[in-house]
Amino acid sequence: MNILAEMLLSEPAPMAIWAALLLLTLPALVVLANPDGVRDPAAALGDAVRFVWRTRQRRAGRRAAEAAEAQAAVRYALEVRVAATRAAEAVDRWQAHWRVSADRVDATWAALRTADARRERSRAATAFGTPWTPQDPAEYAARERFLHEGVRAAVSRGDLPVSALADALAGDAGWDPRLHPAEQEIVLSHRCAEHRERAHRAAVAAERAAWHDMQLAGRGRDSLRREAEIAEARVATWPIFITAAGDHPLTVGNGAHRLFPAHSANG
C-alpha cells in the first residue's frame, strides 16, 4: 500500500476536503465543457441542470415501464399456472368419468351375455312343442298373470325398462297375454336380450365419448402446462421483481420463483 492510499484510509479529513473541492468545481467544469458556457455561464449551468433532470425523468419512465411490463408478465404466469392446475383437475374428473363408463360397458356386456343365454334356452325349449292347455277363462287369466309376473321380474332385474310393465299390463307394444306361457317366455327373453343389447351399445358409445373428451382435456392441460413453464421461465429472468400489493411476494408455479420487490439492474 502506497503512502497516499494509507493517508486517505487513516485520515478522513483530506478525503472530505477533496470531495468538497470536487463539488465546488463541478459547475465550472460543466460550463467549460460547453463553448457557449464561457459567454453565459448561468444559461450553461441551467442547461446542464435541465439535462440531468430530463435524464432522470427518462430513467424513471423506463423503470416504470419495466415495472409495468414485469407486473403483466408475473400476472400472466400466475393466471396460466392456475388455468393449468384447473385443467389438470378437469382431466382427473374426466378420467374418473371414463372409468365409470368403462365399468358400465363391462356390466352391460355381462348382462347381455346372460340375456342371450336365457333367450337360447327359451328357443331350445320350443323343440319339445307347446303343451296343450284347456281354452277357458281360468287358463287365460293364468296366462295373463304369468305374463305380468315375468315382465315385472324382468323389470326388477333391469332386463326391461320400467315402461315395459305398463305396456304389458295394458296389453300394448306387442305384449299378448293370450299366448301360451312357453310362447310368452320366448317373447319375454327376446325382448330382454334386445333391451340389454341396446343398453350395451349405448354404454359403448358413452365410453368412447368419455375417452375422446378425456384425451381433449389432457391435450389442453399439457398445452397450458407448457405455456405456464414458458411464462415462468420468462419471469425468472426478468431484470426487476415486483409485488402485487404491500409486502406479500408473488409466487409463480410451485414456489420455485418467489418474486420480491427490488430495483432494476441499472439502479
Side-chain angles (χ1 to χ4, degrees):
M1 183 178 294
N2 56 36
I3 299 175
L4 179 61
E6 186 175 353
M7 181 186 67
L8 292 176
L9 292 176
S10 59
E11 297 292 338
M15 190 65 180
I17 294 173
W18 286 5
L21 291 175
L22 181 62
L23 290 176
L24 292 174
T25 58
L26 181 60
L29 293 175
V30 172
V31 171
L32 292 175
N34 186 359
D36 296 331
V38 178
R39 293 188 296 270
D40 192 353
L45 185 59
D47 292 339
V49 172
R50 284 190 293 272
F51 174 77
V52 173
W53 183 81
R54 287 194 298 268
T55 301
R56 291 182 61 86
Q57 288 295 106
R58 287 195 295 269
R59 184 177 177 183
R62 286 196 302 270
R63 290 181 60 185
E66 289 177 356
E69 191 173 355
Q71 178 78 34
V74 171
R75 291 298 181 200
Y76 178 73
L78 291 174
E79 290 171 1
V80 175
R81 176 54 64 182
V82 170
T85 301
R86 291 177 179 174
E89 295 172 354
V91 170
D92 293 339
R93 291 193 295 270
W94 277 114
Q95 286 177 344
H97 177 64
W98 171 75
R99 285 192 292 268
V100 172
S101 300
D103 293 341
R104 178 65 178 168
V105 170
D106 295 338
T108 55
W109 173 248
L112 175 58
R113 293 187 62 183
T114 301
D116 278 336
R118 188 179 296 111
R119 178 170 54 181
E120 292 302 322
R121 288 196 300 270
S122 298
R123 288 176 177 175
T126 59
F128 299 99
T130 303
W132 180 88
T133 56
Q135 307 294 318
D136 55 24
E139 173 63 20
Y140 285 116
R143 293 181 180 185
E144 186 175 17
R145 285 194 301 273
F146 181 84
L147 174 63
H148 295 168
E149 291 174 359
V151 172
R152 187 177 289 106
V155 170
S156 65
R157 293 193 306 268
D159 288 338
L160 288 176
V162 177
S163 60
L165 180 58
D167 293 335
L169 293 175
D172 296 333
W175 296 106
D176 188 357
R178 297 170 300 176
L179 294 177
H180 189 276
E183 296 174 335
Q184 291 182 3
E185 186 67 29
I186 294 174
V187 173
L188 181 61
S189 63
H190 184 72
R191 293 280 186 94
C192 291
E194 286 182 340
H195 175 69
R196 287 299 188 179
E197 186 175 2
R198 287 191 298 269
H200 179 65
R201 287 199 301 267
V204 170
E207 187 270 340
R208 290 176 179 173
W211 174 263
H212 178 264
D213 293 338
M214 183 183 68
Q215 295 298 311
L216 286 179
R219 287 194 289 270
R221 174 204 58 194
D222 296 340
S223 177
L224 286 171
R225 281 178 175 175
R226 288 191 296 269
E227 183 65 21
E229 290 172 359
I230 293 172
E232 291 167 7
R234 181 168 178 262
V235 168
T237 59
W238 204 263
I240 60 175
F241 291 160
I242 55 178
T243 58
D247 297 328
H248 301 289
L250 291 173
T251 301
V252 179
N254 57 4
H257 309 300
R258 295 185 65 81
L259 309 184
F260 295 92
H263 296 293
S264 63
N266 56 11

